[in-house]
Amino acid sequence: MIARWIVTGFGLLVVCVGAWVFVQPFGLKEFADLFLTPGGLWFAVALRLTMGVLLWICASASRTPLVLRVLGAMFFISGLALPFVGLDRMVRLSEWGVGLDPSALRGVGLLAAALGAFIVWSVWPRRSEG
């Protein structure tokens, strides 16, 4: 199932970004800046909608179907809401985040890495599936 491998790749990317933010806390601002343009905002919308659908599709064959369905719904709803939040608010939110203590930013990185690892573990084929 190609969706499972896309979700696995996404989860691994989230682990890497989370680890990077943990090591380099202000790297979160650099990462967020990629999405703080009109094109970046629409890319984030498309990414969230796509990942929401793919998480939902992969849920039934995963180790944690209910959790992945909830995550998929959250991704999808956040993708729908993002254009209403708007670029100006996203920029202000990013600026607020930069002002946080580095330990708080490291916590965000750790949570992101944990979420990515959970997604990978959830969709990774079990031994019996091969």
Side-chain angles (χ1 to χ4, degrees):
M1 170 189 266
I2 190 75
R4 176 187 283 179
W5 294 111
I6 294 171
V7 170
T8 300
F10 173 76
L12 291 172
L13 178 64
V14 172
V15 168
C16 291
V17 170
W20 177 54
V21 170
F22 183 79
V23 172
Q24 180 68 33
F26 294 108
L28 185 58
K29 170 74 168 125
E30 294 173 23
F31 184 73
D33 284 347
L34 298 172
F35 299 97
L36 296 177
T37 64
L41 180 73
W42 288 109
F43 178 76
V45 168
L47 182 65
R48 289 177 185 203
L49 293 174
T50 302
M51 289 314 303
V53 169
L54 290 175
L55 283 167
W56 191 276
I57 289 170
C58 290
S60 61
S62 76
R63 294 178 169 143
T64 57
L66 179 62
V67 176
L68 285 191
R69 282 195 181 99
V70 169
L71 281 175
M74 289 172 60
F75 269 82
F76 194 83
I77 290 168
S78 72
L80 293 175
L82 198 52
F84 297 103
V85 171
L87 192 55
D88 291 337
R89 279 195 202 135
M90 294 305 298
V91 168
R92 286 196 306 267
L93 181 63
S94 176
E95 290 169 354
W96 169 80
V98 170
L100 292 176
D101 186 69
S103 61
L105 296 175
R106 282 189 169 93
V108 170
L110 195 59
L111 286 172
L115 175 65
F118 174 78
I119 289 171
V120 170
W121 172 80
S122 292
V123 299
W124 196 262
R126 290 170 254 185
R127 287 183 191 242
S128 60
E129 292 178 37

